[in-house]
Amino acid sequence: MWLGAGILPGLLVGTLAAYLQRQDLDASLLRRYLQSSDSDRHITREAVQHLDGLTGAVPEEAAEPVWTAVGRRIARDGG
């Protein structure tokens, strides 16, 4: 099952972590909230792309990544 593989929960945690990191949250607080000694392991390329879509940021790549498009659709449709 797709959700059982941890893809969606990992994407959610990574997207939230990337957002908090962009808001200049202190690194020690972010690690504490994530209950992880390495917060960067949660912030994957896909999570950053998803956050870009949710926030309307322009992706660095020429072609819009899949997770950016998914984030844009969620932001546009309200969930």
Side-chain angles (χ1 to χ4, degrees):
M1 185 160 96
W2 192 65
L3 290 176
I7 294 171
L8 191 57
L11 181 64
L12 176 62
V13 169
T15 302
L16 290 170
Y19 175 78
L20 292 172
Q21 190 176 59
R22 283 188 183 174
Q23 300 301 310
D24 294 325
L25 182 72
D26 183 68
S28 63
L29 282 176
L30 183 58
R31 287 191 301 273
R32 190 169 78 202
Y33 291 146
L34 294 173
Q35 298 178 359
S36 173
S37 60
D38 181 18
S39 58
D40 287 339
R41 75 182 187 99
H42 296 282
I43 303 173
T44 63
R45 182 186 61 204
E46 292 82 4
V48 172
Q49 292 169 350
H50 191 229
L51 179 60
D52 287 346
L54 290 169
T55 60
V58 177
E60 294 177 10
E61 295 120 10
E64 185 169 85
V66 171
W67 286 113
T68 303
V70 169
R72 286 191 199 290
R73 274 187 241 121
I74 292 170
R76 181 191 67 217
D77 298 341

